[in-house]
């Protein structure tokens, strides 16, 4: 596969992301797939979807895990509900994560993406240590299926994420870098963060956002690619500098407005194609 194949976020049962038909119409060669709910994670669904993507000449490069009860309403709600940090749902979600990874294997996908939740900043924190041990378990489970786990960025500063990955110490734990999330969550300048975590970046999202006037307390605003504070030309130059050659997966999280979402993703495909041409990528 050539360097930086374009991609979009897609889903089987129309959760986040655009339907596969839209990816096909945009002629992108890759997708990240938001995992379907449990009732759709069957052999039959996997067989059928594998056939559909093959017919479109699309490759699924990552299956993203998500869990019932997660809400991105505001930053405190994300903290309370997202990923493997909330204690009440942790064990149940860990088991579900392994089922999602099994479903990804049925789709012949060797990467599972995850918003792990807000990792505590203090490595002495008991919850931090529990999360390290749980992540080691999930990594071992994925390694047995020849899969890697990519942690989505944004909910913590680069150095916290780096230390967490080093403390877990598994060879199949990497990063899915999302520059807009760094801005949305107020966790640091995205391109500085990208340089810092560069060695661990194995997949990326192309998404843009504007800083909140109270970073870290209230959300920034997600905007169409190229109209926010990321600086997409510099983003590509930084990806080039860290030696990243994997897919560029466009994300536009306005599923509630499907027509606008598809239009703006189309514009993002154009923008990335133009920029890549300019820098000869
Ligand atoms: Mg993302």
């Amino acid at each position: 596969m050539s360097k930086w194949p374009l991609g979009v976020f897609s889903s089987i049962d129309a959760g986040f992301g655009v339907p596969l038909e839209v990816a096909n119409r945009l002629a992108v060669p890759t997708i990240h797939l938001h995992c379907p709910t449990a009732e759709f994670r069957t052999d039959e669904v996997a067989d059928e979807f594998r056939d559909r993507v093959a017919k479109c000449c699309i490759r699924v490069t990552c299956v993203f895990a998500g869990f019932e009860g997660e809400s991105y309403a505001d930053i405190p709600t994300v903290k309370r509900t997202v990923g493997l940090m909330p204690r009440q749902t942790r064990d149940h979600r860990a088991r579900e994560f392994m089922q999602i990874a099994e479903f990804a294997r049925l789709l012949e996908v060797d990467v599972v993406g995850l918003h792990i939740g807000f990792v505590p900043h203090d490595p002495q924190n008991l919850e931090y240590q529990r999360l390290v041990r749980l992540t080691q378990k999930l990594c071992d489970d994925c390694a047995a299926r020849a899969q890697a786990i990519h942690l989505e960025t944004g909910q913590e500063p680069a150095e916290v994420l780096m230390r967490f990955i080093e403390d877990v110490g598994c060879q199949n734990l990497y990063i899915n870098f999302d520059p807009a999330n760094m801005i949305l969550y107020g966790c640091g300048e995205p391109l500085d963060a990208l340089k810092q975590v560069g060695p661990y970046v194995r997949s990326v999202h192309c998404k843009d956002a504007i800083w909140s006037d109270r970073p870290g307390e209230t959300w920034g605003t997600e905007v169409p690619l190229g109209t926010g504070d990321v600086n997409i030309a510099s983003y590509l130059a930084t990806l080039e500098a860290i030696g990243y050659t994997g897919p560029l997966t466009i994300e536009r999280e306005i599923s509630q407005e499907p027509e606008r979402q598809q239009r703006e993703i189309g514009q993002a495909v154009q923008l990335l194609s133009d920029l890549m041409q300019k820098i000869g990528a």
Side-chain angles (χ1 to χ4, degrees):
M1 191 170 265
S2 61
K3 176 180 164 181
W4 292 351
L6 294 183
V8 297
F9 220 105
S10 187
S11 66
I12 293 180
D13 55 350
F16 296 103
V18 296
L20 186 63
E21 294 68 39
V22 176
N24 191 32
R25 204 163 58 230
L26 292 167
V28 293
T30 72
I31 56 170
H32 278 187
L33 184 73
H34 192 259
C35 77
T37 49
E39 59 178 310
F40 291 103
R41 292 200 297 264
T42 63
D43 289 15
E44 294 73 34
V45 170
D47 286 349
E48 200 223 357
F49 194 74
R50 230 177 34 229
D51 283 352
R52 283 174 62 204
V53 289
K55 278 197 191 105
C56 300
C57 299
I58 285 175
R59 193 164 67 98
V60 184
T61 55
C62 176
V63 170
F64 251 86
F67 306 104
E68 206 181 316
E70 291 185 322
S71 167
Y72 291 85
D74 51 41
I75 292 176
T77 308
V78 173
K79 219 170 234 176
R80 211 178 58 244
T81 67
V82 167
L84 300 177
M85 272 313 292
R87 283 194 66 179
Q88 329 72 277
T89 50
R90 188 180 296 160
D91 292 347
H92 175 78
R93 285 181 178 176
R95 282 193 296 276
E96 186 166 8
F97 179 84
M98 294 186 209
Q99 290 158 9
I100 290 167
E102 270 172 41
F103 181 75
R105 179 40 73 214
L106 292 178
L107 292 175
E108 296 168 359
V109 177
D110 50 17
V111 175
V112 189
L114 176 67
H115 270 285
I116 204 163
F118 278 78
V119 175
H121 291 192
D122 175 11
Q124 301 307 318
N125 179 310
L126 194 59
E127 290 302 306
Y128 178 91
Q129 293 167 3
R130 285 185 176 134
L131 191 66
V132 165
R133 285 196 295 274
L134 177 61
T135 308
Q136 287 166 339
K137 217 167 103 187
L138 298 181
C139 284
D140 288 348
D141 178 75
C142 282
R145 264 183 251 98
Q147 289 173 314
I149 297 177
H150 291 191
L151 298 179
E152 175 90 355
T153 52
Q155 290 158 359
E156 47 280 313
E159 54 276 13
V160 174
L161 191 61
M162 290 275 280
R163 188 179 53 214
F164 178 73
I165 288 175
E166 279 155 17
D167 285 346
V168 172
C170 292
Q171 297 308 307
N172 60 337
L173 185 61
Y174 297 107
I175 286 174
N176 180 76
F177 191 84
D178 185 325
N181 280 356
M182 304 303 297
I183 293 174
L184 289 169
Y185 289 91
C187 278
E189 286 291 342
L191 304 188
D192 292 344
L194 177 58
K195 283 175 212 152
Q196 235 176 310
V197 301
Y200 291 105
V201 173
R202 291 291 172 97
S203 57
V204 302
H205 286 160
C206 293
K207 190 170 94 190
D208 214 339
I210 293 170
W211 288 94
S212 154
D213 54 358
R214 284 184 290 147
E217 280 179 59
T218 59
W219 280 124
T221 309
E222 196 217 334
V223 296
L225 199 72
T227 67
D229 292 329
V230 170
N231 188 341
I232 302 304
S234 302
Y235 181 45
L236 294 189
T238 310
L239 287 172
E240 173 98 3
I242 65 165
Y244 178 79
T245 58
L248 302 180
T249 307
I250 298 160
E251 223 187 341
R252 182 70 176 110
E253 302 191 272
I254 47 167
S255 309
Q256 66 285 4
E257 294 177 73
E259 278 175 27
R260 182 176 160 210
Q261 183 187 38
Q262 290 172 26
R263 189 177 62 244
E264 291 179 358
I265 289 174
Q267 290 162 353
V269 167
Q270 194 57 53
L271 173 69
L272 290 173
S273 305
D274 292 349
L275 288 172
M276 281 161 66
Q277 207 173 14
K278 240 182 233 168
I279 60 176

